[in-house]
Amino acid sequence: MKITDIKSFLLTAPRDLHIVKVETDAGIDGLGEAGCSTREYAQEGALRHFREFLVGMDPMRIEHIWQVLYRSAYYEGGRVLAAAIAAIDMALHDIVGKALR
């Protein structure tokens, strides 16, 4: 199984939500939430950046992907990058749960 796309959905009602969808070539999708209200556009940019090297990776390698996302930058990203990474992490766990049921 490989990651084929990362999609970002910015929702404003009833409160600001940033939903992230990770899609795979097996037809299994995972959802996560980047809970960092008022910084959704910055997170969306981070997700576009992360997408460039996540596509093609095995979504079952959750810890490896987390390490790549967190440690791939020279500087720490603070709460914006941490929230984007958390949303991807949640979506990957969702994929694994669906794949193993």
Side-chain angles (χ1 to χ4, degrees):
M1 183 174 4
K2 301 288 181 200
I3 296 171
T4 57
D5 204 1
I6 309 289
K7 293 185 177 171
S8 178
F9 302 95
L10 302 176
L11 309 170
T12 58
R15 66 180 182 92
D16 293 339
L17 287 174
H18 188 183
I19 304 299
V20 175
K21 182 179 182 183
V22 177
E23 298 178 347
T24 70
D25 61 355
I28 301 172
D29 303 330
L31 297 175
E33 180 189 355
C36 187
S37 187
T38 73
R39 300 293 187 260
E40 293 85 4
Y41 294 113
Q43 292 168 353
E44 191 173 36
L47 290 165
R48 279 195 308 271
H49 174 76
F50 289 153
R51 183 191 180 280
E52 296 303 315
F53 51 90
L54 285 175
V55 169
M57 293 183 87
D58 180 355
M60 304 292 265
R61 297 190 65 200
I62 295 173
E63 179 63 26
H64 171 74
I65 289 172
W66 189 93
Q67 293 290 337
V68 167
L69 295 178
Y70 186 77
R71 300 188 187 286
S72 64
Y74 183 74
Y75 295 104
E76 290 184 17
R79 66 185 185 140
V80 169
L81 287 185
I85 291 169
I88 292 169
D89 193 57
M90 283 181 244
L92 295 175
H93 278 89
D94 191 23
I95 290 169
V96 170
K98 290 173 181 175
L100 296 178
R101 64 175 150 155

